[in-house]
Amino acid sequence: MPQIHNSQPTIQNSIRGRVWKYGDGVNTDVIFPGKYTYTVTEPAEMARHALEDLDPAFAANVQPGDVIVAGKNWGNGSSREQAAACLVHAGVGAVIAESFGRIWYRNAINNGLLAVTCAPAVAALNAGDVVEIDVQAGVITTGAGQTFRFPPLDPAVQAILAGGGLIPYLKQQFQSAG
Amino acid sequence: MPHTFAEKILAQNAGLPDVTPGQIITATPDVALSHDNTAAISKIFRGIGVNRVRYPERLAITLDHASPPPTTRHAQNHADARRFVAEQGVTHFFDVGRGICHQVLTEEGLIFPGVLLLGADSHSTHYGALGAFGAGVGRSEMAAIWATGQLWLRVPESIKITITGQFSPWITSKDITLHIIGQLGADGGLYASVEFHGPAVAAMSMSSRFVLTNMMAEMGAKNAWVMQDAVTFDWLAAQTGAPERRPAWEAAARQLAPDPGARYAAEYTFDASAVEPQVACPHTVDNVQPLSAVAGTRIDQAFLGTCTNGRLEDLAAAAQILKGRQVASGVRLLVIPASSRVYMAALQAGYVETLLTAGAVFGTPGCGPCMGNHFGIPAPGEVTISTANRNFQGRMGTRDSEIYLASPAVVAASAAAGKIAGPEDI
Ligand code: SF4
């Protein structure tokens, strides 16, 4: 049985972690450099290069469940899926941003990574804060107890996230179809 | 109810009478594009637990991103892609040297009005210049398309951009495109279908129109579109050698053209006459300045090529500027024709000889250093001026180097001057 690339546990209803905060327009090349796209394929190695050209301290210090909080157009640029997958492999629990590059957003969902658009939460959260996301209720709670609501996920998106990402989801579908 | 291009083509593809922005539809792509990422996608595909691609005749695969392969790992990657192609009976396969995916697919007649293409490449917006719907997707999504033949898409809002006026000499579609991105920002078209209308667009060659749609990826767009006319149909007839298909192309184009009164999320008008040469400065494509503001900046390397500006008219502009001139000492000029067909035409027109005589270095048709794989990676501290579409930090393989983006004319003039310069400065 070949190993599945996107083996991500089914998304948890509650995500809690420390905030890594970045600005506007962070693009795929600084999240996962293009020069690695055909040579770096192992999850652990991908995780080591996560955000390499943006924040060299990230890969060494990120902890499971940590949340990236960013400004506008996070993940703009290339279609490379590693720009979402490397964050999953690094243990990132979710990304909250003002807006997302459209292919990055699709890649995140398809890799089982929660991506939430919520500008007020972005404004309220700072690097190192603790943040909690209740996925089902659509609520973000800051360490200081402030809460922010985000719009419910599209049903197509929910189904993929609930299946643990697009590939595990499809696999289940093919299996149940016999 | 009047509809935009995106609404019409997505409704048609999904077999629905009507769709509205925000609606999720199931699309069945006519063409599914992948390139050097084919090997990686095939591993994901096997993980789904199906053995056969649903519609192998709809796949189009090029080996272009690191081509010919610079290392053993890249070579193995290509070998894996070729094995997949043979195993699955993929007919539209273009091996090393044929050229860059977006250029090759249009040359091969796979793209015409009404085609829906999903590509595992962000510049799949390119195809809108021919009246096709082209959008980029990720690797898992491409694997899903291979397995099922389908993928969910959200019907985008549309943005209408009208370009009026006339271009001055040496001002090109690259300049107006950079100007638009500079004005509207890297998220100015986020999730949207960007339509180009107006007399200045009608006056453009097909090559120039591809620059508009190709670069809408840099504004966050889902897809882009340019109206079709005799220029489109003549170009298609010439490329495909199948003029008898013209009535079908014309009918599809007519049917899918946006209706008067269609609803747009935003409408903008730009005047081509008012634009001077534009340069995107490090490290974002929307960091755009007029040439006069950055002229004189030292360069180490000039790069003419890519899916944005590696076509015959681009090489012609560079040859015209560099005829009888030399590339400045200490500067490298890399030229990579976008396809083997472009290369042959440039050879026959004498552009290759002119550029070689001026001191250019030629690479195999493909992406070259555009995304930092090989053939012209800059050293730390070096500055490149390029005709590409993206100048992100590290894009060409080196974090501590700078990339400026400009038209072929400005890149060629800069190569001769040894610093950023326009055709009129040399
Ligand atoms: S030339 Fe550059 S932008 Fe175009 S497909 Fe190749 S890598 Fe992508």
Side-chain angles (χ1 to χ4, degrees):
Chain A
M1 169 80 205
Q3 204 204 327
I4 300 168
H5 251 53
N6 311 65
S7 52
Q8 164 72 357
T10 302
I11 190 139
Q12 318 235 317
N13 187 39
S14 173
I15 291 161
R16 189 184 153 83
R18 295 174 313 156
V19 168
W20 293 80
K21 180 120 189 222
Y22 302 107
D24 289 341
V26 172
N27 65 63
T28 48
D29 278 75
V30 296
I31 300 174
F32 191 83
K35 63 188 171 202
Y36 299 133
T37 54
Y38 305 118
T39 51
V40 173
T41 52
E42 290 311 311
E45 201 185 351
M46 282 171 68
R48 274 200 299 281
H49 293 294
L51 303 190
E52 180 170 287
D53 284 349
L54 176 71
D55 179 359
F58 176 81
N61 297 300
V62 63
Q63 286 169 19
D66 280 2
V67 172
I68 290 176
V69 176
K72 289 188 205 130
N73 212 7
W74 168 271
N76 72 91
S78 164
S79 65
R80 78 184 60 129
E81 197 156 322
Q82 297 96 320
C86 72
L87 301 180
V88 173
H89 298 319
V92 171
V95 181
I96 304 171
E98 286 179 50
S99 61
F100 294 102
R102 64 163 282 276
I103 307 179
W104 188 91
Y105 177 81
R106 295 182 70 103
N107 284 336
I109 301 304
N110 290 334
N111 281 273
L113 175 62
L114 180 68
V116 176
T117 307
C118 187
V122 171
L125 288 164
N126 294 305
D129 289 357
V130 170
V131 64
E132 194 163 346
I133 306 171
D134 184 327
V135 183
Q136 218 62 46
V139 175
I140 298 168
T141 309
T142 69
Q146 273 181 291
T147 59
F148 301 93
R149 302 198 73 85
F150 57 90
L153 302 171
D154 183 89
V157 167
Q158 254 176 33
I160 293 169
L161 280 177
L166 180 64
I167 298 303
Y169 169 73
L170 277 178
K171 201 175 161 203
Q172 292 151 22
Q173 301 254 307
F174 273 102
Q175 276 168 355
S176 57
Chain B
M1 201 174 119
H3 284 296
T4 65
F5 166 73
E7 290 157 16
K8 284 185 167 188
I9 193 167
L10 292 178
Q12 173 179 295
N13 186 275
L16 299 168
D18 211 29
V19 298
T20 47
Q23 188 175 340
I24 303 282
I25 60 131
T26 300
T28 308
D30 304 298
V31 181
L33 157 72
S34 59
H35 42 65
D36 290 38
N37 52 21
T38 298
I41 298 167
S42 71
K43 289 193 191 89
I44 303 172
F45 172 73
R46 290 195 189 98
I48 299 174
V50 276
N51 295 321
R52 306 299 304 176
V53 169
R54 184 74 188 270
Y55 304 114
E57 71 284 3
R58 296 185 188 173
L59 270 56
I61 297 174
T62 53
L63 295 182
D64 53 1
H65 273 58
S67 180
T71 69
T72 309
R73 273 180 106 164
H74 289 92
Q76 184 61 52
N77 185 55
H78 280 187
D80 292 348
R82 280 188 204 99
R83 202 176 49 235
F84 173 80
V85 162
E87 243 170 52
Q88 299 290 335
V90 174
T91 43
H92 300 302
F93 172 61
F94 308 99
D95 212 322
V96 171
R98 179 63 186 86
I100 305 167
C101 50
H102 306 309
Q103 178 66 16
V104 173
L105 265 54
T106 59
E107 287 179 356
E108 293 285 341
L110 293 171
I111 312 297
F112 43 87
V115 165
L116 192 146
L117 174 145
L118 295 178
D121 188 277
S122 58
H123 293 101
S124 299
T125 52
H126 190 82
Y127 302 99
L130 286 172
F133 182 97
V137 299
R139 291 179 177 186
S140 292
E141 297 189 297
M142 189 47 61
I145 292 167
W146 289 356
T148 65
Q150 299 183 318
L151 192 69
W152 65 276
L153 287 181
R154 179 183 169 280
V155 178
E157 284 78 20
S158 296
I159 291 176
K160 181 175 182 175
I161 295 181
T162 305
I163 309 179
T164 60
Q166 277 189 336
F167 288 100
S168 313
W170 297 117
I171 310 295
T172 66
S173 65
K174 183 62 161 289
D175 300 295
I176 192 79
T177 307
L178 290 175
H179 176 71
I180 291 169
I181 297 170
Q183 293 293 308
L184 303 184
D187 59 354
L190 200 58
Y191 301 108
S193 168
V194 180
E195 295 182 2
F196 287 97
H197 299 250
V201 182
M204 286 180 194
S205 68
M206 265 327 295
S207 265
S208 295
R209 294 178 187 185
F210 283 125
V211 179
L212 292 172
T213 50
N214 177 282
M215 287 202 69
M216 280 308 101
E218 306 311 322
M219 233 165 69
K222 176 173 215 141
N223 70 294
W225 179 88
V226 168
M227 84 287 162
Q228 293 93 58
D229 55 15
V231 173
T232 326
F233 306 124
D234 290 348
W235 188 91
L236 279 167
Q239 292 294 332
T240 59
E244 69 280 4
R245 291 170 63 191
R246 189 173 183 130
W249 298 327
E250 292 189 5
R254 230 186 346 265
Q255 197 195 334
L256 295 172
D259 297 320
R263 277 203 281 171
Y264 293 96
E267 297 191 36
Y268 305 98
T269 301
F270 291 91
D271 180 4
S273 324
V275 173
E276 63 167 296
Q278 304 283 304
V279 180
C281 301
H283 295 288
T284 58
V285 187
D286 59 358
N287 184 14
V288 175
Q289 298 281 341
L291 174 65
S292 51
V294 291
T297 304
R298 171 189 70 87
I299 60 162
D300 301 286
Q301 173 167 279
F303 174 35
L304 173 64
T306 80
C307 56
T308 312
N309 280 122
R311 278 176 286 280
L312 191 63
E313 72 174 27
D314 306 317
L315 272 57
Q320 195 184 334
I321 287 162
L322 288 168
K323 194 165 182 85
R325 291 199 169 85
Q326 284 296 308
V327 171
S329 83
V331 172
R332 290 100 60 190
L333 170 60
L334 313 175
V335 182
I336 306 185
S339 73
S340 56
R341 211 180 270 186
V342 168
Y343 202 167
M344 183 61 85
L347 192 69
Q348 285 164 350
Y351 306 148
V352 174
E353 190 180 341
T354 301
L355 293 169
L356 282 173
T357 307
V361 182
F362 270 72
T364 306
C367 303
C370 178
M371 66 174 289
N373 277 301
H374 70 147
F375 195 79
I377 308 302
E382 285 192 338
V383 179
T384 301
I385 187 159
S386 161
T387 62
N389 45 31
R390 204 166 264 167
N391 62 347
F392 299 159
Q393 186 154 30
R395 171 75 180 174
M396 293 182 77
T398 306
R399 184 182 193 274
D400 299 313
S401 78
E402 296 191 325
I403 307 167
Y404 291 84
L405 305 177
S407 71
V410 169
V411 167
S414 304
K419 55 190 185 202
I420 296 180
E424 271 144 17
D425 307 331
I426 58 167

